[in-house]
Amino acid sequence: MWPTRPGETVGAVRAVVLVALGTALMALSAKVSLPLPYVPMTLQTLVVLMIGAAYGWRLGSATMIAYLAEGALGPPVFAGPVGGIAPLVGPTAGYLFGFIAAAFVTGWLAERGWDRSVMLLFAAMAVGHIVILAAGFGWLAFGLGLGIAKAWQVGIVPFIAASLVKNALGAALMPAARRLIDRRR
């Protein structure tokens, strides 16, 4: 799909295409949503971690920044039919900004070989999930003033089992996708 000897221009075009694809996947994954009292459960964390693992820390983080900027401009790319600034300052804000750090950490670990083993990739994605959940918890507890106990109940507990399932799914899908891409080359 890409030229074998990419120059600077081809590399920039490739990055733009990958960021656009990543933000589109983020918007789609936001629409697979289970409404909960404060923060909906979506497939976004799975996509964030897979983008981080596939793109690396630089492009993965840039993709998440582009996604948040896109949403801030108004298109309904966040969970539910929502766009604009409200999700970036409401109950979901910590999780959304945590996406950037999670893509960074997961991408950084993947670039150091953690994406070559299902178990290591599972661990890298677990670290990414912990980053997202910690950012969300911190925002709910202190940014919105829910307090530690309430933030734990609504911002962590409902997401633990789903995070483990998403880690397993992501860790299994990444090597399969890599084999499929390698076969086409």
Side-chain angles (χ1 to χ4, degrees):
M1 183 170 171
W2 303 108
T4 55
R5 287 178 281 131
E8 195 171 308
T9 303
V10 173
V13 169
R14 178 180 182 269
V16 168
V17 168
L18 289 173
V19 167
L21 177 63
T23 60
L25 287 172
M26 287 297 296
L28 286 173
S29 67
K31 303 310 173 194
V32 179
S33 177
L34 173 65
L36 295 174
Y38 286 87
V39 179
M41 187 177 303
T42 69
L43 287 180
Q44 288 178 291
T45 56
L46 171 64
V47 174
V48 167
L49 302 175
M50 290 184 71
I51 286 172
Y55 288 11
W57 71 269
R58 289 176 189 90
L59 193 56
S61 300
T63 301
M64 293 309 117
I65 292 167
Y67 170 68
L68 296 183
E70 182 181 319
L73 293 174
V77 297
F78 300 129
V82 182
I85 298 296
L88 298 173
V89 296
T92 59
Y95 300 93
L96 291 171
F97 286 103
F99 290 172
I100 299 167
F104 179 97
V105 168
T106 306
W108 189 85
L109 291 170
E111 287 179 5
R112 279 144 187 81
W114 288 46
D115 63 337
R116 300 297 172 184
S117 154
V118 171
M119 291 308 293
L120 281 176
L121 185 54
F122 182 93
M125 289 182 162
V127 172
H129 262 119
I130 290 168
V131 167
I132 293 168
L133 291 173
F137 170 79
W139 177 251
L140 289 171
F142 306 108
L144 292 183
L146 293 184
I148 291 172
K150 179 76 171 179
W152 182 264
Q153 268 318 105
V154 300
I156 300 292
V157 172
F159 302 103
I160 293 172
S163 295
L164 293 171
V165 170
K166 291 177 199 177
N167 279 359
L169 187 59
L173 286 174
M174 286 301 297
R178 185 170 281 116
R179 282 191 300 274
L180 180 67
I181 291 167
D182 288 345
R183 237 186 279 151
R184 291 186 154 197
R185 287 184 181 176

